[in-house]
Amino acid sequence: MFTPDPIPRPSGPPASSTPLGDYLAQPRPGVNAGYAVLPRSLAEAMPLPWQQQMSNLLAEFHQAFGHLQWPIYRVVPSRYERLVDLDDDQLAEVGCTVEVDDNGELEYRLRDGRRVANPETQQVLVSCLDPIPRQGPGGPQPTPAAPPPPAW
């Protein structure tokens, strides 16, 4: 038997065709324009059901894209620092030198010799010690978030 009532339509925006891209487009820890990095120590400390789901997803991902020529990625913990706050080793890491100009002022230069305008406002990425401690077995477990409401 058919009902004469119209079929209820979901309220809200339609489901995205790029949900992962939408999620990663928001400011997230470990995510930038080109990469999403998961600290292995945190991934291995996830509750067992999460690890099982993650390993299944990664297995499917590698099955689908394992044929590509993958480079070896070097992931270095880093943080933003003001250029004027760096020491000599950090300046070398970011490719800058500092000299004293004719007026006795510090002058920051890039590798190619160009002068850095307003070095006090320039933020650069420098390596740092990994602030995420290795999680041992039985360590603190993440609290699962409440499941999102269905996107109808």
Side-chain angles (χ1 to χ4, degrees), residues 10-88:
S11 62
S16 173
S17 62
T18 57
L20 185 58
D22 296 346
Y23 182 82
L24 296 176
Q26 303 301 312
R28 306 273 181 208
V31 176
N32 68 20
Y35 300 94
V37 177
L38 298 176
R40 184 173 178 163
S41 64
L42 295 182
E44 289 178 353
M46 293 187 302
L48 184 57
W50 292 16
Q51 289 187 47
Q52 291 167 335
Q53 288 183 11
M54 178 71 80
S55 64
N56 289 335
L57 283 172
L58 288 174
E60 287 185 35
F61 180 83
H62 287 118
Q63 182 179 359
F65 299 109
H67 66 283
L68 299 175
Q69 284 287 25
W70 286 55
I72 301 298
Y73 291 95
R74 180 182 7 193
V75 178
V76 179
S78 304
R79 68 172 177 248
Y80 282 102
E81 294 283 349
R82 289 182 338 139
L83 188 60
V84 296
D85 294 336
L86 302 184
D87 62 27
D88 289 338

Side-chain angles (χ1 to χ4, degrees), residues 83-152:
L83 188 60
V84 296
D85 294 336
L86 302 184
D87 62 27
D88 289 338
D89 291 337
Q90 292 169 319
L91 284 168
E93 178 184 339
V94 299
C96 282
T97 59
V98 63
E99 303 167 347
V100 178
D101 67 9
D102 295 338
N103 300 328
E105 300 289 324
L106 292 179
E107 190 172 78
Y108 292 81
R109 294 198 173 271
L110 300 174
R111 280 192 179 103
D112 62 7
R114 288 182 293 139
R115 186 175 174 276
V116 176
N118 303 317
E120 59 281 344
T121 63
Q122 295 294 320
Q123 297 253 337
V124 293
L125 266 178
V126 292
S127 60
C128 65
L129 295 175
D130 193 342
I132 299 175
R134 180 118 183 109
Q135 306 292 313
Q141 294 290 306
T143 305
W152 298 343

Side-chain angles (χ1 to χ4, degrees), residues 1-7:
M1 167 88 47
F2 294 103
T3 176
D5 299 328
I7 298 172

